[in-house]
Amino acid sequence: MSVRRTGPGMPARIPVAGTDPISLDSAPTDGSSGSGENGISRRLLMGLGAAGAGTLLMRPAFASPAAGPAEGEGVGFAVVGLGLLSQGQILPGFHSAKRAKLTALVSGHPDKATRLAAKYGVARDAIYTYENYDRIVDDPRIQVVYIVLPNAMHAEFTIRALKAGKHVLCEKPMATSVADAEAMIAAAKAADRKLMIAYRCHYEPLNLAAMRLIRSGKLGKPRMVVTQMGRQASLSDPADVWRLDMKMSGGGALADMGIYGINGARYLLNEEPVEVRAWAQTDRKDPRFREVEDLIAWQFRFPSGAIANGSTSFDYAPTMSYQVECAQGRLVADPGAFYNGNRLTVQTGYQSQVQAIHEIDQFAREMDWMADVVRGKAPLVSTGEEGLQDMRLMKAILDSVAQGGATVSTAFGYTRAIDPAKVVDVPA
């Protein structure tokens, strides 16, 4: 679905996962603009005090090298699935990447793969089909496989890549079931390979700035998070057809858009919810919602006492926004998870200020981070276990919906291994 927005720096379309069976060659590329360090203005830092400034701007313990490797030393990536997301964002992202390089393509459409291989300088013998995909085991040009397929295909192609001895970067949601996510993690451990889930917001300047500002304590104790993630879906758009199929998507709008709010509340608060209540409002006469729920709203309760209210829908105006209410201040990110044009407003007392955000190519950034993970130069932040936690939470939300809003325990015992706010740097 193409959603045009007005105003400088705004994205041309809502971000959605790509799919190889769909040929959409005119998808836009990402742009970048803006200034500022870590997305926090000098004026706000002065207002927060020197201690707050030091906390927000100090270089993380694990920081990617400032300069890329010499020519030919990049980590080789194979992209599996050449749909909307791949053509619009991921393949162009390799032009900006410093440590990740595109070395192979996997597609069910040979003509499309051949055309894109020529465009991006991929050797003809590095084009694979879904049928001969397992032959990547013999291709030393490939170190990482990036899975960009419909959700129901993530587990199969991730596990096959791991068995072939390759590391995997997999688009979110991780899978369509908790069992599949657990199988992916087990396969990575058995193969002794890295499995990273493509949570690009963990590496994006606005979200890092929000995390660090909350962690600094200068806005006071976080009390409430509100997330709204949704858009209009259409059966006339081939890219939406499988998203409205429960078997293929695993959850309609919840899996496609709601996951940003679920994951976002968790990384903003840096804790895990212990229970959830959720409700849905779906018009089954609408042909889009014969299998999936439409509007879903949920409420998480966290151990600190914070509450997170989230909603998602395939039948409301496009938005990817959130706000965090703290005891002495407020953060508003609207939008907060687009490919570019994100906007962060911080309010303290009765004054508010829009923060300058240093924009980057978000896909190049996460691919470079994965490359550094493989080279042992960065920690694995967006782990398979992180993806599994969101799968469990989405299931709990749907379980609560099925029980008419009953409280469902989410005390799964998960603790995030590494806080992005502590280790992920913002490239110059």
Side-chain angles (χ1 to χ4, degrees), residues 81-358:
L82 304 179
L84 176 65
L85 183 62
S86 290
Q87 293 187 55
Q89 305 296 329
I90 294 171
L91 298 183
F94 283 101
H95 288 312
S96 301
K98 295 179 174 60
R99 293 170 290 283
K101 64 178 180 179
L102 179 64
T103 56
L105 298 173
V106 182
S107 173
H109 296 268
D111 291 344
K112 178 168 60 175
T114 299
R115 172 175 55 79
L116 291 172
K119 180 178 180 179
Y120 290 100
V122 174
R124 290 183 63 88
D125 67 345
I127 300 174
Y128 296 88
T129 67
Y130 299 143
E131 289 72 25
N132 67 15
Y133 174 64
D134 301 300
R135 287 171 46 197
I136 63 174
V137 67
D138 297 319
D139 194 334
R141 294 168 294 190
I142 303 170
Q143 287 84 53
V144 177
V145 173
Y146 193 165
I147 307 296
V148 197
L149 293 165
N151 304 341
M153 302 171 72
H154 287 185
E156 176 191 347
F157 282 84
T158 291
I159 292 171
R160 288 169 69 181
L162 292 166
K163 288 182 176 180
K166 309 301 181 181
H167 304 282
V168 173
L169 173 60
C170 180
E171 268 302 322
K172 59 191 176 303
M174 183 177 181
T176 55
S177 71
V178 170
D180 277 353
E182 290 173 336
M184 294 161 72
I185 293 170
K189 291 179 179 178
D192 193 24
R193 300 289 88 181
K194 303 296 185 182
L195 171 59
M196 173 173 156
I197 310 303
Y199 287 110
R200 59 184 171 80
C201 291
H202 292 180
Y203 310 91
E204 189 274 325
L206 179 146
N207 284 279
L208 287 167
M211 285 184 255
R212 288 173 182 151
L213 185 55
I214 293 169
R215 306 285 194 278
S216 75
K218 297 303 178 180
L219 297 181
K221 182 180 179 180
R223 303 303 312 280
M224 172 75 74
V225 178
V226 179
T227 63
Q228 296 172 295
M229 307 287 172
R231 62 183 178 89
Q232 284 286 341
S234 173
L235 286 171
S236 65
D237 185 343
D240 275 347
V241 172
W242 68 263
R243 292 183 173 85
L244 294 165
D245 181 319
M246 186 63 178
K247 182 178 179 180
M248 291 298 292
S249 70
L254 181 65
D256 190 56
M257 302 292 288
I259 190 172
Y260 284 92
I262 294 168
N263 194 261
R266 295 173 46 238
Y267 64 66
L268 289 167
L269 294 173
N270 196 32
E271 58 178 334
E272 301 301 323
V274 293
E275 64 181 30
V276 66
R277 297 182 67 195
W279 304 265
Q281 183 64 43
T282 304
D283 180 3
R284 295 299 180 189
K285 295 179 181 178
D286 188 323
R288 296 175 297 176
F289 305 120
R290 290 172 178 167
E291 297 184 12
V292 298
E293 299 290 351
D294 170 26
L295 173 63
I296 300 180
W298 61 89
Q299 185 174 79
F300 285 135
R301 184 173 66 83
F302 288 84
S304 67
I307 299 293
N309 288 338
S311 71
T312 189
S313 174
F314 268 161
D315 191 29
Y316 63 37
T319 180
M320 299 189 79
S321 63
Y322 61 78
Q323 66 184 58
V324 184
E325 303 287 344
C326 300
Q328 279 82 48
R330 171 184 297 114
L331 288 175
V332 179
D334 188 7
F338 282 164
Y339 297 152
N340 51 52
N342 294 314
R343 177 185 175 97
L344 180 65
T345 302
V346 178
Q347 179 178 334
T348 53
Y350 292 99
Q351 296 185 345
S352 63
Q353 182 178 5
V354 176
Q355 303 306 299
I357 298 299
H358 170 60

Side-chain angles (χ1 to χ4, degrees), residues 352-380:
S352 63
Q353 182 178 5
V354 176
Q355 303 306 299
I357 298 299
H358 170 60
E359 292 198 342
I360 62 173
D361 184 317
Q362 297 176 32
F363 291 87
R365 177 56 173 149
E366 72 175 359
M367 292 187 295
D368 274 345
W369 192 272
M370 179 62 176
D372 281 345
V373 168
V374 169
R375 301 194 311 172
K377 296 182 177 295
L380 183 56

